[in-house]
Amino acid sequence: MKRNLASSLLALLVFLLSCQPPRSAADYTPKAIGPIGDSAMVAATHPLATRAGVKILREGGNAFDAAIAVHFALQVVFPEAGNIGGGGFAVIRESDGSIASLDFREKAPAGAARDMYLDENGDVVQERSRIGHLAAGVPGSVAGMWELHQKYGSLPWADLLKPAIKLAYEGHVLTELAAHNLNRAQEAFKTANRFVLWTVNEEGWVEGDSSIQRELAATLSFIQNNGRDGFYKGIVADQIVKEMQLGGGLITQEDLDAYEAIWREPTVGIYRGHRIISMPPPSSGGIALLQLLQGAERFDFSKTGHNTSETIHLMTELERRVYADRATYLGDPDYYDVPVNMLLDPEYNEERYSSISRNKKTNSTEIKEGKVDIIESVETTHYSIVDVEGNAVSVTTTLNGYFGCKVMVRGAGFFLNNEMDDFSAKPGVPNQFGLVGAESNAIAPGKRMLSSMTPTIVEKNGRLFMVTGTPGGATIITSVFQSILNVIDHGMSMQDAVDAPRVHSQWLPDVIVSEEGSLPGDVITGLEELGHELVYRTQLGKMNTILVRPDGTYEGGSDRNRGDCYAEGF
Ligand code: DON
């Protein structure tokens, strides 16, 4: 009897708690605040890379110099995604308010063909675009860093490579995560290479092991001495071309000669009075983010509450519409006429969102067998930097899968990307992120594959407000979206905005992805009652962000619980 009374009281308590109004922005008190810098801040995915950036800033370098130092240091300490064998995007805001964006995305080699990943029956052979030489696009990172330096650098180029060369030559100590990632890729390293890589360790890597990379140190020294030509010409270029010839890849010296990083007009929009500056095509990130934010303005998320079933439902409804557009209309603007104006037209989006109901989910029109929950890995990397002048740079860069196509260029010590998998190998067939595509993102020689990378800068009242970005494949756009909502709508500190549980939806497959164990039971039930199916992943994204506080100081927000991310300011 007593037990019955106790359980009834418990049930009543649970019921009353579930009836509480959602926590609104007005009730918010910060749980955590990230490191504060009075004058400058660097946030990157590994403490040693962050410190390389801070060192350059302290020596009088600007944010762009620091970005170059961080980029090359990441190649050494985070070979999962830090790279010279891959590519990426940078969004820039100078202290005077001028903005720019730099595209150093990989390109399909001239020898690439539309159906190169199909078998004789016309079916996609997934491994071909994911592991081994044929998966690699022409790398863009060194050209990108060189271009960044040409336009904005203030310290000598050679100085910016010093921290990376020192780390590679003298070695550094592996973190637990680094050891774990190396161990996971052992078989793939052996399959993809004709020689034994330093990354192969039959006994298994453990935290505290040392990684000395002398070949990589030599490669970085060529780049230090010869600028972009140190990679695209001479010894390193020869090593890449030879690796391709021996392994059946496509990249030639002509491809390397033809590679160019491109300055593009950033994609810009307004969200609740804030100016959002993000990456244009060939990333889908900026356009998709602005479409989501246009939709978000229809709702009052500060009232519906952070991560309540109502808010997650509404975000999901926006996301499935935006990802359907992404699959159909986005691709390399140099090859395909991306209808940017239409996609960002408020009337167009108004019409798209008018069918959203608060009480019922909309089914994605055609449910395909997207493989979102069995993604091989999540390793891209993002860094955010603000310098003492107030210049800001937001960079997302990747090899695509962790350690890219797992091919190391023999003698040169770096991995090549498997970015070719970001093309749509066949219309409607999902890539490793479960993303489907169409003609707009079909493979063509020299074309850039569509990306989701969304390096973003936010202004408030005409001043720098936030620098944000993350890895996560298809989930990048929705993670960046949530980081902005968490700060602007839910009033969170930067660290809380980053720590908060993330959710994701992308049209196909017709599910909501949530981080395991992160949503309360009543929120899950609420979503299921609206018709949603939830699937779970260990984590979504690894953000590195910066927020300008009302007093002008900087708060770094880094995913220290989801990775080795680390922010440091001064
Ligand atoms: O460009 C893209 O969208 C993908 N290549 C990014 C890959 C990625 O984020 C991997 N996981 N974190």
Side-chain angles (χ1 to χ4, degrees):
M1 180 66 185
K2 261 192 188 153
R3 260 202 20 217
N4 279 351
L5 183 63
S7 57
S8 311
L9 283 174
L10 187 66
L12 181 66
L13 185 68
V14 169
F15 174 75
L16 288 174
L17 282 176
S18 69
C19 293
Q20 281 189 344
R23 200 186 72 176
S24 74
D27 307 329
Y28 169 79
T29 42
K31 286 204 272 293
I33 296 186
I36 305 295
D38 291 336
S39 318
M41 180 66 64
V42 179
T45 219
H46 193 292
L48 293 172
T50 299
R51 290 195 188 117
V54 169
K55 180 174 186 298
I56 294 295
L57 290 179
R58 284 193 183 276
E59 286 169 6
N62 62 22
F64 315 108
D65 295 323
I68 295 164
V70 169
H71 195 102
F72 286 108
L74 281 168
Q75 160 67 72
V76 183
V77 298
F78 193 63
E80 292 94 321
N83 69 81
I84 54 176
F89 300 108
V91 170
I92 287 156
R93 183 184 183 279
E94 289 178 272
S95 53
D96 67 359
S98 327
I99 58 169
S101 74
L102 180 61
D103 162 2
F104 52 100
R105 181 70 160 166
E106 298 92 325
K107 290 171 67 171
R114 186 191 177 93
D115 296 337
M116 63 189 277
Y117 300 120
L118 304 187
D119 65 13
E120 51 290 352
N121 302 320
D123 294 327
V124 176
V125 187
Q126 288 178 340
E127 305 78 62
R128 274 195 218 159
S129 63
R130 296 187 194 169
I131 185 156
H133 299 68
L134 210 53
V138 185
S141 279
V142 177
M145 291 302 113
W146 180 249
E147 196 55 45
L148 190 64
H149 188 256
Q150 292 291 104
K151 187 149 177 200
Y152 294 105
S154 69
L155 296 184
W157 169 260
D159 290 357
L160 308 179
L161 278 99
K162 278 185 189 160
I165 294 172
K166 187 167 159 40
L167 284 165
Y169 193 81
E170 293 176 4
H172 75 282
V173 170
L174 297 182
T175 63
E176 188 187 348
L177 179 65
H180 171 72
N181 282 340
L182 284 169
N183 289 337
R184 279 197 304 152
Q186 291 294 302
E187 285 315 308
F189 290 146
K190 290 181 206 161
T191 314
N193 293 278
R194 297 157 294 108
F195 62 103
V196 182
L197 315 188
W198 72 262
T199 53
V200 171
N201 179 347
E202 297 301 345
E203 280 142 41
W205 293 97
V206 290
E207 180 184 1
D209 280 349
S210 158
S211 146
I212 295 178
Q213 302 175 62
R214 294 271 157 85
E215 287 181 344
L216 178 60
T219 299
L220 293 171
S221 300
F222 288 124
I223 299 169
Q224 182 186 41
N225 294 330
N226 302 295
R228 71 160 274 160
D229 286 353
F231 183 87
Y232 294 91
K233 293 188 191 305
I235 294 176
V236 179
D238 291 348
Q239 286 167 324
I240 296 173
V241 172
K242 190 160 172 214
E243 186 59 58
M244 287 286 126
Q245 285 166 351
L246 292 175
L250 297 178
I251 301 170
T252 61
Q253 182 60 54
E254 289 69 41
D255 287 320
L256 295 173
D257 290 339
Y259 187 85
E260 280 190 29
I262 299 177
W263 291 102
R264 299 191 188 272
E265 235 5 77
T267 297
V268 176
I270 302 291
Y271 178 61
R272 299 197 202 281
H274 299 73
R275 186 165 177 242
I276 312 290
I277 304 150
S278 193
M279 196 65 217
S283 181
S284 59
I287 289 181
L289 177 67
L290 291 184
Q291 286 187 286
L292 289 172
L293 291 171
Q294 279 192 24
E297 278 196 328
R298 301 167 62 93
F299 308 113
D300 189 347
F301 289 139
S302 70
K303 288 229 172 70
T304 56
H306 176 252
N307 274 1
T308 57
S309 46
E310 189 177 3
T311 300
I312 296 176
H313 163 70
L314 294 172
M315 291 193 313
T316 302
E317 290 294 308
L318 299 173
E319 288 165 3
R320 63 191 37 186
R321 287 162 177 77
V322 167
Y323 275 78
D325 281 354
R326 179 196 189 280
T328 313
Y329 297 116
L330 272 296
D332 182 348
D334 298 338
Y335 283 69
Y336 181 84
D337 199 6
V338 179
V340 177
N341 292 338
M342 180 192 83
L343 293 171
L344 295 180
D345 179 37
E347 271 179 40
Y348 168 81
N349 285 308
E350 179 68 24
E351 162 75 30
R352 294 276 293 157
Y353 297 138
S354 61
S355 56
I356 293 179
S357 155
R358 284 181 185 262
N359 307 321
K360 194 169 164 289
K361 81 168 266 233
T362 324
N363 289 320
S364 295
T365 44
E366 237 191 298
I367 301 170
K368 298 246 168 67
E369 67 300 340
K371 302 275 194 294
V372 171
D373 49 346
I374 58 152
I375 287 176
E376 174 210 10
S377 76
V378 282
E379 296 303 354
T380 285
T381 188
H382 178 87
Y383 49 91
S384 296
I385 303 177
V386 181
D387 68 20
V388 294
E389 302 290 331
N391 298 303
V393 61
S394 179
V395 179
T396 315
T397 179
T398 189
L399 293 167
N400 197 21
Y402 76 142
F403 306 105
C405 68
K406 315 289 190 288
V407 172
M408 187 177 276
V409 176
R410 186 162 198 173
F414 65 91
F415 288 106
L416 288 167
N417 66 83
N418 61 351
E419 219 72 61
M420 291 296 283
D421 191 63
D422 272 349
F423 279 118
S424 169
K426 185 179 176 179
V429 176
N431 73 357
Q432 67 168 319
F433 301 110
L435 289 167
V436 288
E439 182 59 33
S440 53
N441 191 30
I443 304 172
K447 185 175 175 182
R448 284 156 146 94
M449 52 298 280
L450 183 61
S451 174
S452 301
M453 292 191 281
T454 315
T456 298
I457 294 178
V458 181
E459 275 177 14
K460 185 177 180 180
N461 301 329
R463 306 173 77 113
L464 179 67
F465 180 60
M466 187 174 165
V467 188
T468 180
T470 184
T475 71
I476 291 174
I477 300 164
T478 52
S479 293
V480 171
F481 177 50
Q482 287 165 87
S483 73
I484 293 174
L485 297 188
N486 287 352
V487 169
I488 296 179
D489 293 46
H490 303 299
M492 292 187 192
S493 70
M494 195 69 260
Q495 190 59 53
D496 279 353
V498 166
D499 288 343
R502 296 185 191 125
V503 286
H504 167 76
S505 190
Q506 62 178 51
W507 181 47
L508 294 173
D510 190 352
V511 294
I512 296 176
V513 187
S514 161
E515 293 176 302
E516 250 151 17
S518 70
L519 291 181
D522 61 321
V523 172
I524 296 173
T525 312
L527 287 166
E528 285 170 350
E529 279 168 7
L530 291 164
H532 293 286
E533 182 192 339
L534 278 98
V535 298
Y536 298 93
R537 246 202 254 168
T538 17
Q539 70 176 67
L540 295 168
K542 274 187 199 162
M543 305 209 82
N544 283 302
T545 61
I546 300 172
L547 184 68
V548 184
R549 293 159 32 109
D551 64 0
T553 58
Y554 300 111
E555 181 194 357
S558 273
D559 254 325
R560 53 198 182 181
N561 301 325
R562 293 182 178 94
D564 293 330
C565 305
Y566 178 77
E568 186 174 313
F570 61 86

